[in-house]
Amino acid sequence: MSRALDLDRYAGHLIRRAEQVHTSLWSKFVSETVTSQQFAVLNVVRDREGSDQSTVAQLTSLDRSTAHHIVRRLSDQNYLSRTQDPADRRRTLLALTDEGRQLHAALTPAAERINDELLAVFPYEEWDKVMRVLSRLAQRRPLRTGGTA
């Protein structure tokens, strides 16, 4: 017979709880209408103007379908422009519109503040170590299961 897991020592449960804390802080202090995933897309495009949609998906760790949905929504709201790459018509190149630049600029200070708020549960001297641990976890590739590639 199996025993119950101690959820306070179960990494997946704690990661989910940490995400709930982040989402709550995001909604309260950054935006109730722009999600952190949407902000991540804006941020990557701000940093790499003219990137194609697949690159943005990769850099934001979003699957292609989710990235496509977010890009479509942000372009419908006139925060992103989409243009076909003249060299490869299959690629969609992304850029921030003026409204997108203004939105990114408005949200960035609050996003930085909640990052500091999340890390504030640790002594400041440990912040770099915590970020290295989180980065290492985020780099973990999912396990492949039964016959899928």
Side-chain angles (χ1 to χ4, degrees), residues 28-131:
K28 186 172 182 178
F29 295 110
V30 181
S31 177
E32 291 181 347
T33 57
V34 178
T35 68
S36 62
Q37 290 177 328
Q38 290 170 336
F39 177 78
V41 169
L42 290 171
N43 195 65
V44 165
V45 174
R46 171 69 178 90
D47 187 50
R48 296 179 182 221
E49 198 85 21
S51 290
D52 66 87
Q53 193 168 307
S54 294
T55 300
V56 170
Q58 180 183 2
L59 292 172
T60 55
S61 300
L62 295 170
D63 63 74
R64 289 176 59 174
S65 134
T66 301
H68 175 76
H69 175 74
I70 289 173
V71 165
R72 173 182 267 169
R73 173 169 281 183
L74 291 172
S75 65
D76 287 350
Q77 294 171 323
N78 200 35
Y79 296 129
L80 285 180
S81 67
R82 298 183 293 178
T83 56
Q84 204 169 46
D85 184 348
D88 182 351
R89 300 177 64 77
R90 295 169 296 176
R91 293 178 64 214
T92 301
L93 305 179
L94 305 174
L96 293 181
T97 62
D98 288 340
E99 292 88 349
R101 284 187 205 302
Q102 291 171 5
L103 178 64
H104 181 267
L107 297 179
T108 297
E112 290 174 324
R113 188 170 64 242
I114 69 160
N115 189 65
D116 291 349
E117 184 67 30
L118 286 167
L119 290 171
V121 299
F122 303 100
Y124 179 76
E125 305 77 42
E126 293 181 16
W127 285 17
D128 284 341
K129 182 178 180 181
V130 170
M131 292 305 292

